[in-house]
Amino acid sequence: MSAVADDVILRVEDLTIRYEKGRSIWGTPRYGQVVHGVSFSVKRGETFGLVGESGSGKSTIGKAVLRQIPVLSGSITFEGQTITDWPEGKTPVTYRRAVQVVFQNPRLSLNARMLARDTVGEAVRFHLGLQGRELDERVARLFDDVGLPRHLGDRYPDELSGGQQQRVAIARALACDPRLVICDEAVSALDVSTQAQVIGLLRRLQEERGLSYVFISHDLGVVRNLCHHVGVLQHGRFTDLGSVESVFERPRDDYTRALLDAIPKFPGKVAA
């Protein structure tokens, strides 16, 4: 894929985010800056990895892309639209359909009182307005797409394995045919073998649907398996940024080298 402007689905430029940390004795707010002037882009059909230790700012960036938190300065552009220009609390439904999220812990992100098929069906009904047989057929196809036997739709989340729960969460995210999916530590709560299966699933869905991912993780081995480009964050700033090959083979910063040295061996590519 050529590196032309139309290839870029998401562009983040000079993004700065701060949180209110409390108030002074005079009642004025005190702020702590979490993300400091971060810039990167995500190409269509590719995966950009945000990697770093806890507190590095990677999930904060994901929340900003999802418009869950305000930004102090900088811009986020999706398919040519600057979403940071939209008023707070006024996110168009079209954007919420186009950009979806898969969270870290599927057990917490799924409603324990809803059957798996109803969890996915609720998203289909909300975004696409389908009912009856059309709804049932759409849910069944989504189960097929994520490799879940259809009969598991009649189970509650606690009756499913961790990997099956995450597949339900992925099916729910795909319900409205998004073009960008934020994967926030989407495999870190799974055991190693299940991680490999879910990584393979994400790669297959990307190839079949042309999906773009922002993949947030602290696991450099997983990032190398799945991502095309990567940004390594420390204290809200990139220490390294570039293609996976260049960052992993020729890291520029001592912090990145230390993270890489902590991994004895990188796993090979996971089959889809």
PDB file of all heavy atoms in Angstrom, residues 49-73:
ATOM      1  N   GLY A  49       0.581   0.096  16.803  1.00  0.00           N
ATOM      2  CA  GLY A  49       0.704  -0.306  18.190  1.00  0.00           C
ATOM      3  C   GLY A  49       1.130   0.846  19.085  1.00  0.00           C
ATOM      4  O   GLY A  49       2.072   1.570  18.769  1.00  0.00           O
ATOM      5  N   LEU A  50       0.417   1.022  20.191  1.00  0.00           N
ATOM      6  CA  LEU A  50       0.822   1.942  21.248  1.00  0.00           C
ATOM      7  C   LEU A  50       1.292   1.090  22.413  1.00  0.00           C
ATOM      8  O   LEU A  50       0.500   0.365  23.025  1.00  0.00           O
ATOM      9  CB  LEU A  50      -0.359   2.823  21.685  1.00  0.00           C
ATOM     10  CG  LEU A  50      -0.750   3.977  20.768  1.00  0.00           C
ATOM     11  CD1 LEU A  50      -2.056   4.608  21.241  1.00  0.00           C
ATOM     12  CD2 LEU A  50       0.353   5.030  20.725  1.00  0.00           C
ATOM     13  N   VAL A  51       2.571   1.156  22.719  1.00  0.00           N
ATOM     14  CA  VAL A  51       3.137   0.260  23.714  1.00  0.00           C
ATOM     15  C   VAL A  51       3.871   1.071  24.769  1.00  0.00           C
ATOM     16  O   VAL A  51       4.464   2.117  24.489  1.00  0.00           O
ATOM     17  CB  VAL A  51       4.085  -0.775  23.054  1.00  0.00           C
ATOM     18  CG1 VAL A  51       5.277  -0.114  22.416  1.00  0.00           C
ATOM     19  CG2 VAL A  51       4.504  -1.839  24.039  1.00  0.00           C
ATOM     20  N   GLY A  52       3.801   0.592  25.990  1.00  0.00           N
ATOM     21  CA  GLY A  52       4.482   1.257  27.085  1.00  0.00           C
ATOM     22  C   GLY A  52       4.039   0.665  28.414  1.00  0.00           C
ATOM     23  O   GLY A  52       3.087  -0.106  28.486  1.00  0.00           O
ATOM     24  N   GLU A  53       4.735   1.049  29.460  1.00  0.00           N
ATOM     25  CA  GLU A  53       4.399   0.559  30.777  1.00  0.00           C
ATOM     26  C   GLU A  53       3.127   1.223  31.290  1.00  0.00           C
ATOM     27  O   GLU A  53       2.641   2.199  30.719  1.00  0.00           O
ATOM     28  CB  GLU A  53       5.568   0.813  31.731  1.00  0.00           C
ATOM     29  CG  GLU A  53       6.839   0.060  31.355  1.00  0.00           C
ATOM     30  CD  GLU A  53       8.014   0.429  32.240  1.00  0.00           C
ATOM     31  OE1 GLU A  53       8.238   1.637  32.453  1.00  0.00           O
ATOM     32  OE2 GLU A  53       8.693  -0.497  32.703  1.00  0.00           O
ATOM     33  N   SER A  54       2.591   0.705  32.381  1.00  0.00           N
ATOM     34  CA  SER A  54       1.408   1.289  32.996  1.00  0.00           C
ATOM     35  C   SER A  54       1.669   2.758  33.337  1.00  0.00           C
ATOM     36  O   SER A  54       2.719   3.106  33.875  1.00  0.00           O
ATOM     37  CB  SER A  54       1.051   0.516  34.263  1.00  0.00           C
ATOM     38  OG  SER A  54      -0.065   1.077  34.900  1.00  0.00           O
ATOM     39  N   GLY A  55       0.718   3.612  32.986  1.00  0.00           N
ATOM     40  CA  GLY A  55       0.866   5.036  33.253  1.00  0.00           C
ATOM     41  C   GLY A  55       1.591   5.812  32.175  1.00  0.00           C
ATOM     42  O   GLY A  55       1.829   7.017  32.336  1.00  0.00           O
ATOM     43  N   SER A  56       1.917   5.158  31.070  1.00  0.00           N
ATOM     44  CA  SER A  56       2.663   5.835  30.004  1.00  0.00           C
ATOM     45  C   SER A  56       1.784   6.752  29.156  1.00  0.00           C
ATOM     46  O   SER A  56       2.296   7.571  28.400  1.00  0.00           O
ATOM     47  CB  SER A  56       3.349   4.807  29.107  1.00  0.00           C
ATOM     48  OG  SER A  56       2.387   3.975  28.469  1.00  0.00           O
ATOM     49  N   GLY A  57       0.462   6.585  29.241  1.00  0.00           N
ATOM     50  CA  GLY A  57      -0.450   7.430  28.471  1.00  0.00           C
ATOM     51  C   GLY A  57      -1.104   6.746  27.288  1.00  0.00           C
ATOM     52  O   GLY A  57      -1.893   7.366  26.577  1.00  0.00           O
ATOM     53  N   LYS A  58      -0.824   5.465  27.081  1.00  0.00           N
ATOM     54  CA  LYS A  58      -1.330   4.793  25.884  1.00  0.00           C
ATOM     55  C   LYS A  58      -2.852   4.647  25.884  1.00  0.00           C
ATOM     56  O   LYS A  58      -3.505   4.918  24.870  1.00  0.00           O
ATOM     57  CB  LYS A  58      -0.652   3.428  25.704  1.00  0.00           C
ATOM     58  CG  LYS A  58      -0.745   2.471  26.872  1.00  0.00           C
ATOM     59  CD  LYS A  58       0.131   1.243  26.645  1.00  0.00           C
ATOM     60  CE  LYS A  58      -0.067   0.199  27.737  1.00  0.00           C
ATOM     61  NZ  LYS A  58       0.335   0.707  29.074  1.00  0.00           N
ATOM     62  N   SER A  59      -3.450   4.241  27.012  1.00  0.00           N
ATOM     63  CA  SER A  59      -4.911   4.118  27.064  1.00  0.00           C
ATOM     64  C   SER A  59      -5.579   5.481  27.024  1.00  0.00           C
ATOM     65  O   SER A  59      -6.695   5.618  26.511  1.00  0.00           O
ATOM     66  CB  SER A  59      -5.337   3.353  28.322  1.00  0.00           C
ATOM     67  OG  SER A  59      -4.965   1.991  28.236  1.00  0.00           O
ATOM     68  N   THR A  60      -4.914   6.495  27.543  1.00  0.00           N
ATOM     69  CA  THR A  60      -5.444   7.856  27.490  1.00  0.00           C
ATOM     70  C   THR A  60      -5.591   8.314  26.042  1.00  0.00           C
ATOM     71  O   THR A  60      -6.597   8.941  25.673  1.00  0.00           O
ATOM     72  CB  THR A  60      -4.519   8.818  28.262  1.00  0.00           C
ATOM     73  OG1 THR A  60      -4.480   8.420  29.633  1.00  0.00           O
ATOM     74  CG2 THR A  60      -5.019  10.249  28.168  1.00  0.00           C
ATOM     75  N   ILE A  61      -4.624   7.989  25.204  1.00  0.00           N
ATOM     76  CA  ILE A  61      -4.713   8.337  23.785  1.00  0.00           C
ATOM     77  C   ILE A  61      -5.893   7.612  23.140  1.00  0.00           C
ATOM     78  O   ILE A  61      -6.651   8.200  22.370  1.00  0.00           O
ATOM     79  CB  ILE A  61      -3.391   8.004  23.064  1.00  0.00           C
ATOM     80  CG1 ILE A  61      -2.267   8.889  23.605  1.00  0.00           C
ATOM     81  CG2 ILE A  61      -3.534   8.175  21.555  1.00  0.00           C
ATOM     82  CD1 ILE A  61      -0.884   8.496  23.103  1.00  0.00           C
ATOM     83  N   GLY A  62      -6.058   6.332  23.480  1.00  0.00           N
ATOM     84  CA  GLY A  62      -7.192   5.580  22.952  1.00  0.00           C
ATOM     85  C   GLY A  62      -8.518   6.208  23.344  1.00  0.00           C
ATOM     86  O   GLY A  62      -9.445   6.317  22.524  1.00  0.00           O
ATOM     87  N   LYS A  63      -8.638   6.651  24.591  1.00  0.00           N
ATOM     88  CA  LYS A  63      -9.873   7.300  25.049  1.00  0.00           C
ATOM     89  C   LYS A  63     -10.115   8.606  24.315  1.00  0.00           C
ATOM     90  O   LYS A  63     -11.268   8.971  24.029  1.00  0.00           O
ATOM     91  CB  LYS A  63      -9.799   7.541  26.552  1.00  0.00           C
ATOM     92  CG  LYS A  63      -9.865   6.273  27.393  1.00  0.00           C
ATOM     93  CD  LYS A  63      -9.703   6.584  28.873  1.00  0.00           C
ATOM     94  CE  LYS A  63      -9.731   5.310  29.708  1.00  0.00           C
ATOM     95  NZ  LYS A  63      -9.512   5.599  31.157  1.00  0.00           N
ATOM     96  N   ALA A  64      -9.043   9.312  23.996  1.00  0.00           N
ATOM     97  CA  ALA A  64      -9.197  10.563  23.246  1.00  0.00           C
ATOM     98  C   ALA A  64      -9.712  10.289  21.840  1.00  0.00           C
ATOM     99  O   ALA A  64     -10.573  11.025  21.322  1.00  0.00           O
ATOM    100  CB  ALA A  64      -7.873  11.316  23.199  1.00  0.00           C
ATOM    101  N   VAL A  65      -9.203   9.244  21.189  1.00  0.00           N
ATOM    102  CA  VAL A  65      -9.684   8.881  19.853  1.00  0.00           C
ATOM    103  C   VAL A  65     -11.160   8.490  19.912  1.00  0.00           C
ATOM    104  O   VAL A  65     -11.942   8.812  19.008  1.00  0.00           O
ATOM    105  CB  VAL A  65      -8.833   7.741  19.263  1.00  0.00           C
ATOM    106  CG1 VAL A  65      -9.430   7.242  17.942  1.00  0.00           C
ATOM    107  CG2 VAL A  65      -7.393   8.195  19.048  1.00  0.00           C
ATOM    108  N   LEU A  66     -11.563   7.817  20.987  1.00  0.00           N
ATOM    109  CA  LEU A  66     -12.964   7.438  21.170  1.00  0.00           C
ATOM    110  C   LEU A  66     -13.828   8.591  21.664  1.00  0.00           C
ATOM    111  O   LEU A  66     -15.026   8.426  21.841  1.00  0.00           O
ATOM    112  CB  LEU A  66     -13.047   6.275  22.174  1.00  0.00           C
ATOM    113  CG  LEU A  66     -12.468   4.944  21.704  1.00  0.00           C
ATOM    114  CD1 LEU A  66     -12.275   4.001  22.878  1.00  0.00           C
ATOM    115  CD2 LEU A  66     -13.377   4.304  20.659  1.00  0.00           C
ATOM    116  N   ARG A  67     -13.229   9.741  21.917  1.00  0.00           N
ATOM    117  CA  ARG A  67     -13.918  10.934  22.421  1.00  0.00           C
ATOM    118  C   ARG A  67     -14.556  10.702  23.790  1.00  0.00           C
ATOM    119  O   ARG A  67     -15.620  11.218  24.102  1.00  0.00           O
ATOM    120  CB  ARG A  67     -14.951  11.433  21.397  1.00  0.00           C
ATOM    121  CG  ARG A  67     -14.290  12.107  20.204  1.00  0.00           C
ATOM    122  CD  ARG A  67     -15.284  12.694  19.226  1.00  0.00           C
ATOM    123  NE  ARG A  67     -16.248  13.583  19.829  1.00  0.00           N
ATOM    124  CZ  ARG A  67     -16.033  14.866  20.111  1.00  0.00           C
ATOM    125  NH1 ARG A  67     -14.842  15.416  19.853  1.00  0.00           N
ATOM    126  NH2 ARG A  67     -16.983  15.622  20.629  1.00  0.00           N
ATOM    127  N   GLN A  68     -13.863   9.923  24.600  1.00  0.00           N
ATOM    128  CA  GLN A  68     -14.315   9.694  25.963  1.00  0.00           C
ATOM    129  C   GLN A  68     -13.750  10.723  26.932  1.00  0.00           C
ATOM    130  O   GLN A  68     -14.261  10.865  28.049  1.00  0.00           O
ATOM    131  CB  GLN A  68     -13.916   8.281  26.412  1.00  0.00           C
ATOM    132  CG  GLN A  68     -14.607   7.182  25.638  1.00  0.00           C
ATOM    133  CD  GLN A  68     -14.133   5.804  26.035  1.00  0.00           C
ATOM    134  OE1 GLN A  68     -13.085   5.636  26.667  1.00  0.00           O
ATOM    135  NE2 GLN A  68     -14.909   4.781  25.672  1.00  0.00           N
ATOM    136  N   ILE A  69     -12.691  11.416  26.514  1.00  0.00           N
ATOM    137  CA  ILE A  69     -12.077  12.454  27.348  1.00  0.00           C
ATOM    138  C   ILE A  69     -11.719  13.640  26.472  1.00  0.00           C
ATOM    139  O   ILE A  69     -11.471  13.488  25.269  1.00  0.00           O
ATOM    140  CB  ILE A  69     -10.807  11.933  28.068  1.00  0.00           C
ATOM    141  CG1 ILE A  69      -9.777  11.423  27.046  1.00  0.00           C
ATOM    142  CG2 ILE A  69     -11.143  10.860  29.093  1.00  0.00           C
ATOM    143  CD1 ILE A  69      -8.441  11.077  27.658  1.00  0.00           C
ATOM    144  N   PRO A  70     -11.683  14.849  27.039  1.00  0.00           N
ATOM    145  CA  PRO A  70     -11.293  16.031  26.254  1.00  0.00           C
ATOM    146  C   PRO A  70      -9.782  16.103  26.073  1.00  0.00           C
ATOM    147  O   PRO A  70      -9.026  15.508  26.852  1.00  0.00           O
ATOM    148  CB  PRO A  70     -11.807  17.193  27.110  1.00  0.00           C
ATOM    149  CG  PRO A  70     -11.769  16.666  28.508  1.00  0.00           C
ATOM    150  CD  PRO A  70     -12.094  15.200  28.416  1.00  0.00           C
ATOM    151  N   VAL A  71      -9.355  16.827  25.065  1.00  0.00           N
ATOM    152  CA  VAL A  71      -7.926  17.054  24.843  1.00  0.00           C
ATOM    153  C   VAL A  71      -7.630  18.519  25.130  1.00  0.00           C
ATOM    154  O   VAL A  71      -8.486  19.401  24.961  1.00  0.00           O
ATOM    155  CB  VAL A  71      -7.494  16.672  23.414  1.00  0.00           C
ATOM    156  CG1 VAL A  71      -7.855  15.231  23.105  1.00  0.00           C
ATOM    157  CG2 VAL A  71      -8.125  17.610  22.389  1.00  0.00           C
ATOM    158  N   LEU A  72      -6.405  18.775  25.562  1.00  0.00           N
ATOM    159  CA  LEU A  72      -6.000  20.155  25.853  1.00  0.00           C
ATOM    160  C   LEU A  72      -5.633  20.890  24.579  1.00  0.00           C
ATOM    161  O   LEU A  72      -6.039  22.037  24.360  1.00  0.00           O
ATOM    162  CB  LEU A  72      -4.816  20.159  26.833  1.00  0.00           C
ATOM    163  CG  LEU A  72      -4.255  21.529  27.216  1.00  0.00           C
ATOM    164  CD1 LEU A  72      -5.308  22.353  27.951  1.00  0.00           C
ATOM    165  CD2 LEU A  72      -2.999  21.366  28.078  1.00  0.00           C
ATOM    166  N   SER A  73      -4.863  20.248  23.714  1.00  0.00           N
ATOM    167  CA  SER A  73      -4.462  20.869  22.451  1.00  0.00           C
ATOM    168  C   SER A  73      -4.061  19.783  21.469  1.00  0.00           C
ATOM    169  O   SER A  73      -3.931  18.611  21.820  1.00  0.00           O
ATOM    170  CB  SER A  73      -3.296  21.849  22.673  1.00  0.00           C
ATOM    171  OG  SER A  73      -2.157  21.156  23.171  1.00  0.00           O
TER     172      SER A  73
END
